Amino acid sequence: MGNPTPSIAVVVFDLDGTLIESDAVKTRAYFDIFPPAAEPVVQAAIRADRYENRFARIARILRGLHGAEPAQAEIDRLAKAYNDICEGHQSTCAERPGASRVLASLAAKRPLYVCSGTWEESLLRVVKARGWQPHFRGVYGGPRKKATNLERVAAHAGCRETDMLVVGDTRDDFDAAADKGCAFRGVKSGASDFGDKKVTLIADLTELESL
């Protein structure tokens, strides 16, 4: 099993694209909850802000379609439809190579957490459905920002943020880690957008077993 890397007290994982193959479905679900004629407006909304939360993005799409501020009830209805599609897929889709193995291995060495943009209630159900709940000391999601959730991890674990390693597949994960002074390891996925950031990328999560 090996000894833990002394400088890393806690490992924090993103979910979508990092532990499971779900990024594409989470994007496609926006097209699924609107009629086909809305596709150009949906595409424009996704391009406008890649990391916008579901409520804000759905409101943006509705404004683009109808030219008026949408009713909150309509936003909520569509957000639930979106969540139902995503949660069903997240609970059953393929995991990233080595995910279950590395979670079991690392959980025996140090505390593990999930920090995801997925709404927290759904995130808890997804982690439980996949049988990963025993590996994690905490599961933190939206509507809180990832940087805020990293603060929650540090408080719960009783460690400094600078002693935490964040593992994620997008710039959003990288930026949250950088904001809090956490170490970062990138996971290569179809959604990876690190650009000119100097990020060490892995394709198989078992590369983390030596931590």
Side-chain angles (χ1 to χ4, degrees):
M1 183 178 295
N3 295 321
T5 303
S7 61
I8 298 173
V10 167
V11 181
V12 184
F13 287 92
D14 171 49
L15 179 71
D16 299 296
T18 298
L19 292 175
I20 59 175
E21 300 280 10
S22 52
D23 279 328
V25 167
K26 291 192 74 176
T27 298
R28 184 67 233 173
Y30 285 107
F31 295 92
D32 293 339
I33 63 173
F34 286 99
E39 185 169 330
V41 178
V42 176
Q43 287 177 333
I46 293 171
R47 286 196 301 268
D49 185 350
R50 179 176 175 183
Y51 297 112
E52 193 168 46
N53 73 56
R54 67 194 64 185
F55 293 95
R57 180 171 289 167
I58 288 168
R60 183 192 293 270
I61 293 168
L62 289 170
R63 284 194 296 271
L65 289 172
H66 305 302
E69 198 62 31
Q72 188 61 47
E74 179 65 359
I75 296 171
D76 291 345
R77 183 187 70 80
L78 289 167
K80 183 181 184 305
Y82 174 85
N83 184 76
D84 290 346
I85 294 170
C86 293
E87 187 177 325
H89 182 78
Q90 289 169 304
S91 298
T92 58
C93 66
E95 64 177 53
R96 291 300 306 267
S100 290
R101 173 177 158 179
V102 80
L103 291 177
S105 174
L106 290 183
K109 302 177 187 179
R110 55 171 58 81
L112 306 183
Y113 290 80
V114 174
C115 179
S116 169
T118 295
W119 241 235
E120 195 162 300
E121 289 184 4
S122 295
L123 184 61
L124 286 161
R125 289 192 293 265
V126 169
V127 170
K128 184 176 181 180
R130 301 194 71 96
W132 288 343
Q133 195 172 27
H135 300 318
F136 294 110
R137 302 286 183 88
V139 176
Y140 301 136
R144 293 178 179 89
K145 298 290 188 181
K146 288 186 178 180
T148 301
N149 280 333
L150 291 178
E151 294 175 0
R152 295 172 71 196
V153 170
H156 186 271
C159 72
R160 298 175 302 178
E161 291 154 358
T162 52
D163 293 331
M164 293 165 28
L165 171 68
V166 176
V167 181
D169 70 316
T170 67
R171 193 181 70 249
D172 191 40
D173 302 308
F174 176 89
D175 288 345
D179 183 58
K180 296 302 170 185
C182 305
F184 184 79
R185 191 72 61 86
V187 178
K188 188 176 182 180
S189 78
S192 294
D193 58 347
F194 298 112
D196 59 358
K197 305 286 187 185
K198 294 182 179 179
V199 176
T200 300
L201 289 176
I202 60 173
D204 190 315
L205 291 171
T206 58
E207 295 179 47
L208 298 174
E209 285 187 293
S210 61
L211 291 175

